[in-house]
Amino acid sequence: MSASPDDRQLLHERYAPPGDAYDELCLAPGTPRPHWAGVMESLEALGRDGLLARAAEARRLLRDNGVTYNVYSDPQGMERPWPLDPLPLLMDSGEWAGIETGLIQRAELLNLVLRDLYGPRTLIRKGLLPPELVFGQPGFLHACDDLPLPEHALSLYASDLARGPDGQLWVLGDRTQVPSGAGYALENRVVLSRVFPSLYRDAGVHRLTGFFQALRARLAALSPRRDVEPRVVLLFPGPLNETWFEHVYLAGYLGYTLVQGQDLVVSGGRVWLRSLGGLEPVDVILRRVDDAFCDPLALNQDSRLGVAGLLEAVRRGRVAVANPLGSGLLESPALAAFLPAIARHFLGQDPLLPGVQTWWCGERLGRAHVLANLERLVVRSVDRSEAAGRPVFAALLSRAEREALGVRIQTHPERYVGQDQVSLSTVPVLAEDGGLEARHGAVRAFLCAREDDYVVMPGGLTRVAGRAGDMVVSNQEGGLSKDTWVLASEPEPVAGPVLSEGLAEGSVLGMQASLPSRVAENLFWLGRYAERAEATLRLLRVALKRRRLAQELPAPHEDAALHTLLRTLTHLTTCYPGFVGPGASERLAAPEAELCALITDAQRPGSLRFTLNALFQSAYALRDRVSGDSWRVLAALRDQTRGLNCPASKDPEQLREPMDEVVTRLLALAGLAQESTLRQTGWLFLDAGRRLERALLLSNLLRATLVARHESVAEGLLLEAVLAWGESLAAYRTGHRAPPEPSRVLDLLLLEPANPRSLMFQLEHLEQHVRALPDQPGSGRLSAAARPLVEALSALRLAESPTLARVDGDSGLRRDLDQLLSRQVYLLSQASEALVAQYFAFAHSQHPLQS
């Protein structure tokens, strides 16, 4: 459907870039630059409604793929949807060739600086760098002095580029220790190529695949072992990091194991991965942890993110780390004040891409210039790791604030630099009404080392200010992202194998390769929390049904059955005092408030919301192990959980519909785990957690409901409720015409091996799973986890349902049933503790002997 003339006009009528900035789209109002002409024609043909529809499709794809970004110090920041503007930034191929040359020159120069500052330090001896600038800041790691460095030490390098009013591109900053954003740039490309398939194909955009192939080749080449396929791991700081999704995405895309510091251990001068299959040697670490936090033994002693002894392993040449430890020194903005002279010293020429004019306040002349021109400068901390390291636009400060800033500079001049303020160019952004809006933006370009030079990603991550007129383009400050298209002059051939786009849909929960004990533990608890949430929901729904019937048909037996179910809820959720502690009679008479709290109180351990949040935490730590479909179910479940809020009326009946939706999502998740997951070690832990939790919950529920005998009518209602909770009511009615009776119900729920909800079924599968786990004792001996399961299974197989259903005449209790179930709970708890002790708490703490 073609756009109307009015629609085409809307694309330009509001697009009014500021006159003092270079605009990437327009030469003049309404006149696109030559390399934009073809793309703008296609966008105008789509019209306002078409663009808005494409933007909605992009948001849907990002949501389905679980693309998120964490914003620090923001209650809403966890898993914030990745903000992608659907309009790409276009770069002409001829201009980009010049940019590539300048970027490669800068990467080569920074490599020379890094090797010199941690080696001969000729730059200091010749006066090209002040010694206090190097040795006086936290970025210089004394422990890394004289570390062995490859020829191109910076395997991955990123540069933030901005265009000034005259069209000249400037380097705003360098990222040399853990350059982030390449994964988001790839995801942006994947999404836009699907949102605008024809436009992407016809525009002749340079592909990004070659860059990531070069990265894989580079990391493999760093391996100290040449005789075997190298093991590469991606070391990340944890799921609370701002770019957590990118870590998961890159690990899945490149085929690397995602690890945290606790997954690695140094022994015999070598780094090992703690895997359930044993300790596995690690050859290359692609790190996403800042320098100082990588080794608590040699660097920051308070760090829990790194690996003790890593620096010594690097020094011995037994493991390679990309980028090298200590490379964060190159990110200091103070280096920009001296880089032109350093370039002339090392290269005999000025930088092809100029940096922003910078004055280091540690020098007298530089400090005097900054203080005299404070109003027109941007002030930065020399240490990017500091919280106060955000740029300060002095022109935006009040007079008193500028004076206070001047005092801080004079007190600690070595900590600050002043820089000219570059008026960033503007780029087109899709506004809410489908029109275009000009906002300031900058591009992060990425380079990867090869054997003798660098390859530049043909594109990059464009970041745009969150508001028109704002110069800050950080995602932490609410900015947007864009895909960057470098337009080829002719079609680009596809050569060699192409890595699959995005997270592999074949990746499943509990993939076999290199299963760290941390991952196995999260899989185990994911299964337990999922089962616990489902069981809590089912019992809540059964109790709410009995409550409705008790209200409609008031009778003593209805109240007795309801009160027993409510007390069972407290026992199963362990949300004491609940319906059993002090004041229980009042809460039993008016259970609405307690029921609402059991459903919605996220701060109350054992409540439905609390359990679901624990489930999400375990799943979040397994992002690289979860398939795309499973993650979409989890995302929908999380969204549905947010709707579980206590209604103003305090009537839990109003929560029935969202509770039903949550049950449906949990069943979908369980179905994917059963039908779409390879039966490997990870799945064994996932399913063992589910079976163990179901067995414990069933045993405790039967103890709470059927050990004490009730009046016949009330007991009949309870038996029906128990069957409904156990998804076995239809099966019972199929086999028996008579109303439920204890012996037959116990036979179906405890002893029937064909019933997937019975205790027998759980124990048989649990015992098989435990026997199949790695590191089991030989010669037919049972492991510590298998022994209590074998005993529990034997006791259950010897039990007879009529005996279990028999009531002791004096006490009115089913003592045989109580003894059996009590023993089952004890043995299951013993099995759980044994699994934790063997595989999670102290897994593979032994070190291999090294010569």
Side-chain angles (χ1 to χ4, degrees), residues 524 685 688 692 763 765-777 781-793 826-840:
F524 178 74
F685 282 101
L692 180 64
L763 290 177
H765 283 73
L766 190 55
E767 191 254 353
Q768 293 170 11
H769 292 346
V770 169
R771 285 178 180 268
L773 291 176
D775 290 341
Q776 293 299 305
R781 290 180 299 165
L782 296 175
S783 67
R787 282 195 295 271
L789 293 176
V790 170
E791 181 181 345
L793 195 53
Y826 171 78
L827 293 172
L828 287 166
S829 299
Q830 291 292 304
S832 177
E833 291 174 5
L835 286 172
V836 170
Q838 181 175 359
Y839 294 103
F840 309 148

Side-chain angles (χ1 to χ4, degrees), residues 297-485:
L297 191 63
L299 302 172
N300 188 334
Q301 298 180 3
D302 296 328
S303 172
R304 295 187 177 182
L305 305 178
V307 186
L310 176 61
L311 194 63
E312 179 61 24
V314 172
R315 193 175 296 280
R316 291 192 186 188
R318 308 297 295 274
V319 69
V321 176
N323 280 345
L325 299 176
S327 56
L329 174 65
L330 302 178
E331 297 185 349
S332 172
L335 187 63
F338 306 92
L339 208 56
I342 294 174
R344 289 189 290 271
H345 168 73
F346 277 136
L347 307 176
Q349 58 183 200
D350 287 322
L352 299 176
L353 287 174
V356 179
Q357 185 68 45
T358 303
W359 295 268
W360 179 49
C361 296
E363 291 186 316
R364 181 178 57 82
L365 293 178
R367 179 168 66 254
H369 179 86
V370 170
L371 293 174
N373 299 275
L374 199 56
E375 289 188 17
R376 65 178 186 84
L377 297 179
V378 178
V379 177
R380 298 176 184 269
S381 167
V382 299
D383 183 13
R384 283 191 59 252
S385 65
E386 292 184 6
R390 294 182 179 180
V392 177
F393 294 84
L396 303 179
L397 301 179
S398 66
R399 181 175 179 178
E401 289 171 331
R402 278 198 300 274
E403 290 176 354
L405 177 60
V407 171
R408 292 199 299 273
I409 292 174
Q410 290 178 315
T411 305
H412 296 287
E414 73 283 357
R415 296 183 182 178
Y416 298 97
V417 298
Q419 293 182 325
D420 279 340
Q421 182 173 334
V422 177
S423 180
L424 307 181
S425 62
T426 53
V427 297
V429 172
L430 186 66
E432 292 183 0
D433 64 354
L436 296 189
E437 182 176 85
R439 296 190 194 176
H440 294 288
V443 178
R444 178 166 291 182
F446 301 93
L447 290 79
C448 174
R450 291 189 289 200
E451 184 176 354
D452 54 356
D453 66 347
Y454 278 85
V455 58
V456 181
M457 177 189 289
L461 179 66
T462 297
R463 294 176 297 164
V464 185
R467 297 173 297 276
D470 197 342
M471 286 288 183
V472 179
V473 296
S474 168
N475 292 101
Q476 287 289 328
E477 303 292 338
L480 306 175
S481 73
K482 279 179 168 292
D483 190 13
T484 309
W485 290 6

Side-chain angles (χ1 to χ4, degrees), residues 79 97 102 190 342 364 390 412 454 486 627 672 690 699 701 708 727 745:
E79 299 185 74
V190 170
I342 294 174
R364 181 178 57 82
R390 294 182 179 180
H412 296 287
Y454 278 85
V486 177
S627 69
L672 284 166
R690 180 179 288 276
S699 299
L701 180 128
E727 281 287 280
V745 169

Side-chain angles (χ1 to χ4, degrees), residues 553-574:
L553 300 170
H557 60 268
E558 291 283 358
D559 287 340
L562 173 61
H563 292 172
T564 299
L565 290 175
L566 292 177
R567 285 190 289 268
T568 302
L569 254 176
T570 298
H571 291 307
L572 245 64
T573 61
T574 66

Side-chain angles (χ1 to χ4, degrees), residues 32-46:
R33 298 183 184 277
H35 62 284
W36 275 88
V39 171
M40 284 306 301
E41 235 179 83
S42 300
L43 295 178
E44 287 174 348
L46 286 173

Side-chain angles (χ1 to χ4, degrees), residues 673-796:
Q674 291 299 318
E675 301 300 328
S676 302
T677 306
L678 296 177
R679 296 314 198 249
Q680 296 177 332
T681 305
W683 178 83
L684 291 176
F685 282 101
L686 176 70
D687 201 59
R690 180 179 288 276
R691 301 296 170 196
L692 180 64
E693 190 70 20
R694 185 177 293 181
L696 281 168
L697 290 168
L698 176 60
S699 299
N700 283 322
L701 180 128
L702 291 177
R703 287 187 71 196
T705 54
L706 298 186
V707 166
R709 182 181 181 183
H710 302 271
E711 185 269 330
S712 59
V713 178
E715 185 155 270
L717 298 178
L718 279 176
L719 290 170
E720 185 175 316
V722 167
L723 288 169
W725 175 85
E727 281 287 280
S728 301
L729 185 57
Y732 185 91
R733 287 173 174 170
T734 300
H736 307 285
R737 294 175 179 262
E741 61 178 42
S743 176
R744 291 174 175 174
V745 169
L746 293 173
D747 188 73
L748 182 60
L749 290 180
L750 287 181
L751 309 179
E752 177 52 65
N755 181 9
R757 294 278 172 173
S758 74
L759 184 58
M760 181 72 76
F761 189 94
Q762 314 315 315
L763 290 177
E764 287 182 346
H765 283 73
L766 190 55
E767 191 254 353
Q768 293 170 11
H769 292 346
V770 169
R771 285 178 180 268
L773 291 176
D775 290 341
Q776 293 299 305
S779 304
R781 290 180 299 165
L782 296 175
S783 67
R787 282 195 295 271
L789 293 176
V790 170
E791 181 181 345
L793 195 53
S794 299
L796 196 62

